[in-house]
Amino acid sequence: MFNLLGGDGFNHGQLIQFNERHSGSRIGQRIREIRTERGITQAQLGTRVGLNADRIQKYENGARKPKTDMLTEIAVALGVESLSLSDPVVGNYIGAMYAFFEMEKLYGLKLKRIDGHLYLTFEDGTMNGYLEDWEKELNMINEELKNSPDEDDRKKVLHAYKLWKWNYPYEDKEFSQDYLNELRKDELKKKIDMLQKELSALDKNIKKKKK
């Protein structure tokens, strides 16, 4: 499996280019997998959709990418839902289910029931490593939220979390930590200011009583 992280030299924009460039290959692999499972030859599939075997082969090899209408025709010819051929889109529940099916195949996603609750787990070590990154960030964010003195600070902490997600995997961990440290400093300054005001008020009361 191609690893997009860890010294591969990817920079901003290259991940989306990589995804677009290999979209046809991913679709082609799905067509081949389902066609083979169905026991249909490339020629037979081609006949069903009005194409020759060579075009089907190009689709399966990723040399050409079928347009949406053709992808739907191929799905009908294979007797499957067209979402099973396209890249998953998780903006709805069914799309999310197909994303889970894809992760089951690629990363060993497992569905487990523990104490009456359903959990998703991965057998893939690299995927678990990425999830551990997420867990660390969430733990840090939750700790900051717990210590946030007001709604403005909470918004700043949640903003830092959104930036982390929107920049993954190119997030600047140093920047993220520095940003949260700055928020913590602001929070402590506010507490110090508040304590100084309380101390000043107590001093005034003490002085009044002494007079």
Side-chain angles (χ1 to χ4, degrees), residues 100-130:
F100 291 146
F101 299 154
E102 188 78 355
M103 287 187 280
E104 177 188 34
K105 179 175 68 176
L106 296 176
Y107 309 121
L109 179 67
K110 298 295 181 184
L111 184 63
K112 295 183 179 180
R113 186 177 290 275
I114 303 174
D115 296 329
H117 298 283
L118 287 173
Y119 295 89
L120 297 174
T121 63
F122 290 93
E123 293 183 343
D124 183 275
T126 301
M127 191 71 239
N128 282 323
Y130 294 157

Side-chain angles (χ1 to χ4, degrees), residues 15 43 115 123 129 134 147 151 180 193:
L15 266 180
D115 296 329
E123 293 183 343
W134 189 13
N147 294 319
E151 189 60 28
L180 290 175
D193 289 342

Side-chain angles (χ1 to χ4, degrees), residues 178-192:
D178 287 346
Y179 186 78
L180 290 175
N181 285 339
E182 287 295 326
L183 293 179
R184 187 66 173 157
K185 276 174 59 179
D186 290 342
E187 174 194 332
L188 290 173
K189 284 178 182 177
K190 288 180 181 179
K191 288 181 179 178
I192 290 170

Side-chain angles (χ1 to χ4, degrees), residues 11 50 69 87 96 101 109 111 113 132 147 151 163 167 173 194 196:
N11 53 38
D69 289 346
D87 282 339
F101 299 154
L109 179 67
L111 184 63
R113 186 177 290 275
E132 285 172 3
N147 294 319
E151 189 60 28
L163 288 177
N167 284 287
K173 289 185 171 65
M194 182 179 66
Q196 285 177 336

Side-chain angles (χ1 to χ4, degrees), residues 56-70:
I56 299 298
Q57 184 181 53
K58 286 180 178 177
Y59 284 158
E60 292 187 353
N61 291 339
R64 297 194 64 164
K65 181 179 175 180
K67 293 181 179 179
T68 303
D69 289 346
M70 177 52 64

Side-chain angles (χ1 to χ4, degrees), residues 32-88:
R32 181 188 293 112
E33 178 185 4
I34 295 171
R35 178 185 59 76
T36 303
E37 184 72 22
R38 288 291 205 179
I40 301 170
T41 66
Q42 290 178 340
Q44 288 170 333
L45 177 57
T47 298
R48 293 183 185 185
V49 297
L51 298 174
N52 56 36
D54 181 64
R55 177 62 65 87
I56 299 298
Q57 184 181 53
K58 286 180 178 177
Y59 284 158
E60 292 187 353
N61 291 339
R64 297 194 64 164
K65 181 179 175 180
K67 293 181 179 179
T68 303
D69 289 346
M70 177 52 64
L71 197 62
T72 301
E73 286 189 42
I74 291 173
V76 171
L78 292 172
V80 298
E81 168 58 51
S82 56
L83 287 177
S84 66
L85 300 180
S86 59
D87 282 339

